[in-house]
Structure formats: structure tokens, C-alpha cells
Amino acid sequence: DGGITQSPKYLFRKEGQNVTLSCEQNLNHDAMYWYRQDPGQGLRLIYYSQIVNDFQKGDIAEGYSVSREKKESFPLTVTSAQKNPTAFYLCACGSGSTDTQYFGPGTRLTVL
Amino acid sequence: GQNIDQPTEMTATEGAIVQINCTYQTSGFNGLFWYQQHAGEAPTFLSYNVLDGLEEKGRFSSFLSRSKGYSYLLLKELQMKDSASYLCAAPFGSGYNKLIFGAGTRLAVHP
């Protein structure tokens, strides 16, 4: 059963703590993306990766870090440097270029 | 620069037809996507237009005019389950490997 998964669905963290959000896909897609969604705003690109061991900053990369050690996995770390981390985080994958992006179910992060 | 505009909210009646507009400004153009997103869930792909004209897929159709920088999503025979946000998105960047999204249009369908 092919797809893209994210875990956990809900995540709470205390201020000052780093937290890592998981994203796994078995669609054999080369490209993976992380977006942040805030109420009333569109999806904003945090980081993206087109191939293993390579990734690029998106529009709002400050306070975030990623790795792409395997084709199937693209974890996102929200660091304590991110000033306003409470948001809905969406991971997506695609074949790159203008191919359709397929989204995971999302992780809702709340900083207490 | 890149910019996508959509109305923030729309309301419609069950069984009716609604048109959701999207205007875009991108440096270069390589098609336009429409996604549907129910509250708290992931966006799901609806359509991708790269040529001018109307493409129909069941109750949903999408239109593109490249010369006007304009697209719309047409939803017919509205059902309550169509209540969702509808996101317009355009590829951009080197190799058009990134998407810029509009803020989304929240559609409420009433009985």
C-alpha cells in the first residue's frame, strides 16, 4: 500500500526544546518537501530535497533543519531558534519538476 | 516575483454551482494546480492545467487563461462534503521544482 506518512499527528513541546517530525514515503519519489501552514495563510515552503544527501532552503528555513540520508525519509527538526513554531506541518513528495505533489496527513505542533 | 490571489471565503447552497477564481503572477509559467483540503487534513490533488481552456473531471472542472494569468475551479451539483478549502498553486524556480500556494478559498456549502 503506497503512500506518505507523518508522525506523530499531534505534538506538544515546551519552549526551548528541539523536536523532530517524521516523514516517510514508499512511492519511490525523488523529491520531498516540508511546508508550514498557519490559519488564513497558504502553505509556505520550509525545505525541499530533490535527491538523497541534498536539500535546499525554502522561503522560511530559519529555525528548521532537515536531513535526507535515505530516499524514503525526510525528517524535519524544529529547533529552539524558531520563534513561532506552533503550526500545522505538511510533508509532500513528488517526482520533481511539475509533477503532482502528494501530501502526508500532517503534524500539528503546539508549543506550550 | 511570484504571487497567487484567491478569495478568502465563499458560501454556496447544496446542489448549486460555484466558481472559485485564482489569479497568478509568476516569472515563467509551467501550469497551475488545484488542491482540495478539508479542515485538519492533507491537501489532495484535483487538477493540473498547462494549456488554455476548460478541463472537466466529473463534477469538478478547471479553466486556465495564460494570457490573463487567470484560472478558476468550477464545482457543480455541490454536496455538503465539498465544504473545504481550495488551494491554487503554481510551479516556479529552477526546473519548476517548487510550488507557490495561494492562501486558499474556504468554501462553505449550506443545505
Side-chain angles (χ1 to χ4, degrees), chain B residues 67-80:
Chain B
S67 61
K68 295 181 180 177
Y70 167 68
S71 174
Y72 67 72
L73 184 68
L74 193 70
L75 289 72
K76 302 177 188 175
E77 300 169 19
L78 280 172
Q79 302 176 8
M80 298 297 289

Side-chain angles (χ1 to χ4, degrees), chain A residues 93-110:
Chain A
C93 65
S95 296
S97 190
T98 55
D99 190 53
T100 300
Q101 290 187 18
Y102 299 92
F103 287 84
T107 293
R108 189 167 297 280
L109 173 65
T110 302

Side-chain angles (χ1 to χ4, degrees), chain B residues 89-106:
Chain B
F92 76 103
S94 173
Y96 295 101
N97 54 8
K98 297 183 285 186
L99 284 179
I100 179 171
F101 284 84
T105 299
R106 191 160 57 246

Side-chain angles (χ1 to χ4, degrees), chain A residues 25 27-33 49-52 54 68 70-71 93-96:
Chain A
Q25 56 103 357
L27 298 170
N28 200 34
H29 283 160
D30 289 316
M32 296 187 74
Y33 308 83
S49 167
Q50 293 180 267
I51 55 172
V52 174
D54 188 46
R68 187 86 186 277
K70 298 187 299 182
K71 188 174 186 177
C93 65
S95 296

Side-chain angles (χ1 to χ4, degrees), chain A residues 9 33 35 37 40-43 45 48 50 57-59 88 90 96-106 108, chain B residues 30-31 33 35 37 39-45 48 87 91-92 94-104 106:
Chain A
K9 190 168 178 64
Y33 308 83
Y35 294 92
Q37 188 173 36
Q41 295 191 42
L43 277 65
L45 184 64
Y48 66 104
Q50 293 180 267
K57 293 182 179 180
D59 300 320
F88 187 45
L90 287 159
S97 190
T98 55
D99 190 53
T100 300
Q101 290 187 18
Y102 299 92
F103 287 84
R108 189 167 297 280
Chain B
N30 207 351
F33 287 91
Y35 283 85
Q37 185 181 24
E41 297 183 9
T44 54
F45 169 78
Y48 173 58
L87 312 178
F92 76 103
S94 173
Y96 295 101
N97 54 8
K98 297 183 285 186
L99 284 179
I100 179 171
F101 284 84
R106 191 160 57 246

